[in-house]
Amino acid sequence: MMGPASYFRLFHAGWVLAREGAFSVLPAESLPPMMKLGIRLVRLVERPSVRKTGRVDRLNAALNKLGPSYVKFGQTLATRPDIVGPQAAADLSGLQDRMPPFDPALVPGILSLALGSKAAQLTEISPPVAAASIAQVHKASLSVPGIPPKTVAVKMLRPGVSERFHADTNALYAGARLAEIFAPSSRRLKPNEVVKTLDHSMRIELDLRLEAAAISEMAENIKDDTGFVIPEVQWDQVAQNVLTTTWVDGIPIRDHAALDAAGVDRKALASKILQGFLRHAIRDGFFHADMHPGNLFADRLTGDVIAVDFGIMGRLSIRERRFLADILYGFITRNYRLVAQRHFDIGYVPKHQSVDDFTLAIRSIGEPLHGRTAADISMAKVLGQLFTITELFQMQTRPELVLLQKSMVLVEGVARNLDPDLDIWTVAEPVVAEWLRREEGPVGRLEDLAGHVTRMSEALGRVPTLIAEAELALAEHRLMMSRPPNRPLQAAILAVLGAAFVVLVLGAWRLLAMSY
């Protein structure tokens, strides 16, 4: 529930962030006039050291103190030196997985309470090897009778993290409500729905049993793929606040010196990360939504991507996957009309806007990107242009795509850090084109038809229920009116239901005819 405490927490967070220079890293020169003015006013309370040096080295500590939600925000910024500047990105990189661990004396009690007698099978538990905003990871040995011991990773939630997260979330809800009240133009961005989406994803992240299930599902999706590796769940050592997986050993992808020393091809690694993400999002509709550098490693022998920490996962429906594929393919082939039309189809842009005008706006963004490497593209300018376009065309936020948008920012940032010369469109084209060819081919058509038939069957199956409900309503009507049955009304309702049944049958017949 939002109360005065939530608003106080929100204003406190705003004050802390302003004092430590958080707003100085935004590309103010590319933003609309009102946002520029707001940033200038907020920056009046910055520490003198920030104004003199331009450094925001205290921001890292400030985000840690504010809570896990703010740390997640900082992690995203840390991957985008093109937006916040290389110095700010370097300062924020400490948020990835080098936070102070909780007291190791608490570990045995946490494991015993969560796993019961199974906790005794975990031995040789190391000090924390990684500590992030939500949880920390220990290396251990798993000894099960009849099975050779194996090295595992044991992840444990931080004590009290749920309470801190819920307090953060209530403050964000309060901020969304204030934005809708005092900045009516922000309503098109649906701030409350965006916070709700993030709230839902974080609640899932706070139950490690769901993370175990996510690893299991992704393992099934990628079992025939190459170049992308994930750990295996040890289900007997899983609880709400404990997750045990096989140990994966690799080189942190942010350690460029170690990658080069091991002979890992950084350009190939960047391509594998970007293509792996797109393949999971577009082909499977289920993707790792927290691919910051602290969660990614490289196999020193094969150069494959090793991913960990599946607490935040994204899911896309077939409609949203087609939207993403068409948007990327439209930019790759410079078919800006396709990009514009898909924004209208999915509801990003209101129907009363002009498709032609929006196509022109998309072209103004896409054309400067072609033929450029990642190093030549200023994402600050691109974001500034997008701000202007979203306001001009009254674009609506799609809450279900928030995680996808955030993840694409992360993945692109990670890939370009590995390979500054990365051509994003060239790397994306094989994955996008392959999926579109499949969708437009016989297999895709048959799957579409099967989906339509299933939905039609479900609708037909509801007809008897609708008739029964109509008869019940008629019976209640007779009782209330205390008069003979209303035969004309009953006939009319049955006629409507009969017509609906005929329409459903004709629709199914038309779909079958179209498929041949």
Side-chain angles (χ1 to χ4, degrees), residues 3-326:
S6 297
Y7 290 100
F8 175 79
R9 189 177 181 88
L10 174 68
F11 290 129
H12 170 69
W15 171 261
V16 171
L17 293 174
R19 286 285 288 166
E20 303 305 340
F23 298 96
S24 67
V25 303
L26 296 176
E29 71 282 355
S30 304
L31 299 177
M34 286 303 295
M35 295 186 71
K36 285 183 182 179
L37 177 61
I39 289 176
R40 287 197 192 101
L41 292 175
V42 168
R43 293 196 62 188
L44 293 176
V45 302
E46 277 181 4
R47 292 182 182 277
S49 60
V50 174
R51 295 188 185 184
K52 288 180 181 179
T53 66
R55 285 183 59 88
V56 290
D57 50 324
R58 293 172 57 94
L59 182 56
N60 189 328
L63 290 171
N64 280 330
K65 291 178 180 177
L66 287 175
S69 300
Y70 299 94
V71 169
K72 289 294 181 185
F73 174 69
Q75 288 174 347
T76 301
L77 293 181
T79 68
R80 303 315 305 253
D82 54 316
I83 297 175
V84 302
Q87 187 60 62
D91 292 336
L92 290 169
S93 64
L95 292 170
Q96 305 293 0
D97 63 359
R98 296 195 294 266
M99 293 179 64
F102 60 78
D103 186 355
L106 299 175
V107 170
I110 292 174
L111 292 177
S112 178
L113 188 62
L115 304 177
S117 61
K118 299 283 187 180
Q121 296 175 349
L122 293 171
T123 60
E124 302 176 23
I125 300 173
S126 74
V129 296
S133 58
I134 300 293
Q136 66 185 38
V137 178
H138 299 253
K139 191 174 184 179
S141 178
L142 177 61
S143 300
V144 179
I147 300 176
K150 64 176 70 174
T151 304
V152 294
V154 183
K155 179 177 180 179
M156 285 171 272
L157 293 183
R158 287 179 174 272
V161 70
S162 297
E163 292 75 9
R164 290 195 67 184
F165 162 70
H166 292 310
D168 289 345
T169 304
N170 287 337
L172 292 175
Y173 274 119
R177 184 176 180 182
L178 290 176
E180 291 183 347
I181 293 173
F182 295 106
S185 61
S186 70
R187 292 173 188 168
R188 66 184 175 83
L189 301 177
K190 302 180 182 177
N192 194 67
E193 292 299 314
V194 170
V195 174
K196 187 180 296 183
T197 300
L198 297 175
D199 182 10
H200 176 71
S201 70
M202 290 293 288
R203 286 176 187 273
I204 291 177
E205 190 175 6
L206 292 171
D207 190 336
L208 298 184
R209 294 167 298 190
L210 299 180
E211 180 175 349
I215 296 173
S216 175
E217 180 175 347
M218 177 163 275
E220 291 182 5
N221 291 341
I222 68 172
K223 64 180 183 296
D224 297 323
D225 294 350
T226 58
F228 201 93
V229 180
I230 64 174
E232 181 183 345
V233 177
Q234 307 299 298
W235 283 102
D236 284 344
Q237 282 72 38
V238 172
Q240 182 270 328
N241 61 336
V242 175
L243 169 64
T244 306
T245 66
T246 52
W247 181 263
V248 289
D249 194 11
I251 304 170
I253 63 163
R254 61 168 166 244
D255 192 344
H256 293 181
L259 292 173
D260 295 340
V264 175
D265 185 341
R266 282 199 274 143
K267 292 181 180 292
L269 184 61
S271 295
K272 287 178 180 178
I273 290 172
L274 184 58
Q275 290 185 341
F277 169 76
L278 291 175
R279 191 172 290 112
H280 304 156
I282 295 174
R283 182 194 65 190
D284 306 326
F286 189 63
F287 59 92
H288 193 311
D290 199 19
M291 290 179 66
H292 65 71
N295 289 337
L296 297 172
F297 302 83
D299 188 299
R300 62 182 67 252
L301 297 178
T302 64
D304 289 345
V305 180
I306 302 174
V308 299
D309 193 354
F310 297 81
I312 302 179
M313 302 296 293
R315 196 178 292 278
L316 300 175
S317 68
I318 187 66
R319 181 168 177 257
E320 291 151 1
R321 287 150 61 189
R322 284 179 177 151
F323 168 77
L324 172 60
D326 282 341

Side-chain angles (χ1 to χ4, degrees), residues 202-454:
M202 290 293 288
R203 286 176 187 273
I204 291 177
E205 190 175 6
L206 292 171
D207 190 336
L208 298 184
R209 294 167 298 190
L210 299 180
E211 180 175 349
I215 296 173
S216 175
E217 180 175 347
M218 177 163 275
E220 291 182 5
N221 291 341
I222 68 172
K223 64 180 183 296
D224 297 323
D225 294 350
T226 58
F228 201 93
V229 180
I230 64 174
E232 181 183 345
V233 177
Q234 307 299 298
W235 283 102
D236 284 344
Q237 282 72 38
V238 172
Q240 182 270 328
N241 61 336
V242 175
L243 169 64
T244 306
T245 66
T246 52
W247 181 263
V248 289
D249 194 11
I251 304 170
I253 63 163
R254 61 168 166 244
D255 192 344
H256 293 181
L259 292 173
D260 295 340
V264 175
D265 185 341
R266 282 199 274 143
K267 292 181 180 292
L269 184 61
S271 295
K272 287 178 180 178
I273 290 172
L274 184 58
Q275 290 185 341
F277 169 76
L278 291 175
R279 191 172 290 112
H280 304 156
I282 295 174
R283 182 194 65 190
D284 306 326
F286 189 63
F287 59 92
H288 193 311
D290 199 19
M291 290 179 66
H292 65 71
N295 289 337
L296 297 172
F297 302 83
D299 188 299
R300 62 182 67 252
L301 297 178
T302 64
D304 289 345
V305 180
I306 302 174
V308 299
D309 193 354
F310 297 81
I312 302 179
M313 302 296 293
R315 196 178 292 278
L316 300 175
S317 68
I318 187 66
R319 181 168 177 257
E320 291 151 1
R321 287 150 61 189
R322 284 179 177 151
F323 168 77
L324 172 60
D326 282 341
I327 294 304
L328 291 174
Y329 193 71
F331 272 114
I332 291 168
T333 60
R334 300 165 83 173
N335 185 348
Y336 302 116
R337 178 78 181 194
L338 172 65
V339 176
Q341 187 60 57
R342 290 299 177 267
H343 277 78
F344 279 79
D345 293 343
I346 203 167
Y348 254 147
V349 183
K351 296 293 185 184
H352 67 269
Q353 295 289 336
S354 166
V355 177
D356 293 330
D357 290 345
F358 191 64
T359 301
L360 196 64
I362 293 297
R363 178 180 290 274
S364 72
I365 295 176
E367 281 299 297
L369 301 180
H370 274 278
R372 306 283 186 90
T373 65
D376 298 326
I377 299 172
S378 170
M379 288 307 298
K381 291 183 179 178
V382 172
L383 289 176
Q385 201 169 354
L386 282 173
F387 271 125
T388 302
I389 288 175
T390 57
E391 186 174 10
L392 180 63
F393 289 92
Q394 301 175 317
M395 287 174 62
Q396 302 289 317
T397 295
R398 298 287 298 185
E400 66 273 19
L401 297 179
V402 169
L403 277 179
L404 174 66
Q405 293 166 328
K406 173 229 178 191
S407 299
M408 291 186 73
V409 169
L410 275 174
V411 172
E412 186 202 352
V414 168
R416 67 183 291 159
N417 282 338
L418 286 167
D419 178 15
D421 297 323
L422 180 73
D423 184 335
I424 297 167
W425 307 122
T426 301
V427 172
E429 195 275 338
V431 176
V432 176
E434 177 187 356
W435 189 80
L436 286 175
R437 281 194 297 269
R438 181 186 181 280
E439 283 299 296
E440 296 300 322
V443 175
R445 297 285 185 178
L446 286 173
E447 288 180 351
D448 271 353
L449 177 62
H452 287 308
V453 170
T454 299

